[in-house]
Each structure stands twice: as structure tokens, then as C-alpha cells.
Amino acid sequence: MTTTDDIAPGQAPADVAALALKPALEAVLMVVDEPATEADLARLLERPRRAVADALRELSDEYARTARGFDLRLVAGGWRFYTRPEYAAAVERFVLDGQQARLTQAALETLAVVAYRQPVSRSRVAAVRGVNCDGVMRTLLQRGLVEEAGTEPGTGAILYRTTNYFLERMGLRGLDELPELAPFLPEADAVEAESAEALPSFDPDAPEPTSTTEH
């Protein structure tokens, strides 16, 4: 049986149960969108729930003892990383600085899909663009251009829509003033309106974005 001592640094074992528990928990909790329960983490990492619970509390105590800029909290029945209140000024400055940056081409395309298909789920936006859009959606949420709009019946997926701030930045009184898609289609009878090419790119912060890097 493989043990954690048998795994070389940087090596990915085939058996998730062979991973060192604390680093594995840290890695998973770095990417969760909502608090993760001990039961879910135990199932995911194939470990006893008690071992997972003990490891989480030890990590939380360790972060507090070493005065890290973040801590691990048990909130609403699950665990998640949070920044510490005493470093709020640094986080706030970072977020506000991001508000001044231009939107990338990827963000513009994603925003256009949301604007024309709202309310729409992330998976639907990804299907239209043909690429994962989780990072871009987080950027648009952070910038206040989109917001959550309930869940999709049947799947429970979170739906998104544009905000009043989006209308303000676009100079629109309502969504009915969005430009028609037809003029942007190469051939209206040959190209589906849901394709990425069928959606106009527009920047609420600048007229002509130059970056195409996805963030």
C-alpha cells in the first residue's frame, strides 16, 4: 500500500487517499465557491470524517497562531478560507484597483452572453463561448456588472443577470436598448445567434479593449 512517505514532491498519486491530508484539504479549500462540509471533504479525500475534522481544526489553530493574513473558519456547517479583518484595508485597495482596469476580451464576450441570454447559468455561458468562464464570471461579479438571479429549475445551477451598474456604464435606460444581434451576424440564416461570434463585444470602461487574456 502506498503511503505519503512513498510520494516524491510534485508527484500526483493515483490514489487520492495516499495524499497528505492537510495539504490536500488546503488545496481543495483554495478553490471552493462555498463552505465545504466535513462529510463532503471526507468523502472526497477518502478519509474518516473524524480525521478530517481534527485536521481542519489543527489548520485553523495553526493559521491563528502564526498570524497569517487569512484564517480557516467553520461557517454555516462548512469550512472555508477568509481574509482576516485586520488586513481589510489591503484587500479593499486591491479590489478597488481592479475596478479601474480594462475588461479583457474574454470578459467582454462573457458579459455579452449574459446580457443577451439572462438569466443564464455559468455552464450555459461556457457552452456558448466554448471555454470555461468561472474566472471571468468572478471578475464580472467583483466589478458589479453581473449579479446572481436565483437558481435554474431542475438543475439548481445559479443564474446570473446584468446589474443596474451595467446599464449605467453602457448608457442604457433598459435592456430593451441593447443593440440587435442581426447586424453582427455574418449570415443570419447560417450562423446561430448563440455562437460567440454572434455576440458583439463592448467595454463599459473603454471603447476598444486590446487584451484577449482570460482572467
Side-chain angles (χ1 to χ4, degrees), residues 1-9 11 18-20:
M1 179 178 177
T2 303
T3 67
T4 54
D5 293 333
D6 299 324
I7 303 171
Q11 178 183 356
L19 293 167

Side-chain angles (χ1 to χ4, degrees), residues 98-109 111-112 140 143 145 165-166 168-171 200-211:
Q99 295 282 357
Q100 308 304 318
R102 282 188 173 187
L103 291 178
T104 63
Q105 185 67 28
L108 297 178
E109 293 173 2
L111 182 58
L140 296 176
R143 302 279 285 271
L145 294 167
Y165 178 65
F166 164 80
E168 176 186 335
R169 298 299 298 173
M170 289 298 300
S201 293
F202 44 82
D203 191 341
D205 294 326
E208 294 183 359
T210 58
S211 174

Side-chain angles (χ1 to χ4, degrees), residues 33 44 52 56 67 70 115 121-122 130 146 179 188 203 205:
D33 290 327
L44 178 69
V52 169
L56 288 167
F70 59 90
S121 65
R122 289 191 187 191
V146 302
D203 191 341
D205 294 326

Side-chain angles (χ1 to χ4, degrees), residues 61-141:
D61 291 343
E62 179 182 339
Y63 300 146
R65 185 174 61 257
T66 56
R68 305 295 291 270
F70 59 90
D71 60 7
L72 183 58
R73 304 178 198 164
L74 177 60
V75 177
W79 291 84
R80 189 177 185 181
F81 284 118
Y82 293 86
T83 56
R84 293 191 183 278
E86 52 265 42
Y87 299 104
V91 175
E92 182 178 353
R93 174 168 292 187
F94 173 79
V95 172
L96 291 178
D97 281 350
Q99 295 282 357
Q100 308 304 318
R102 282 188 173 187
L103 291 178
T104 63
Q105 185 67 28
L108 297 178
E109 293 173 2
T110 301
L111 182 58
V113 175
V114 176
Y116 282 95
R117 292 296 174 184
Q118 61 185 303
V120 63
S121 65
R122 289 191 187 191
S123 60
R124 183 63 169 168
V125 174
V128 173
R129 292 194 58 231
V131 64
N132 183 286
C133 63
D134 288 355
V136 175
M137 288 295 290
R138 283 193 292 271
T139 296
L140 296 176
L141 284 165

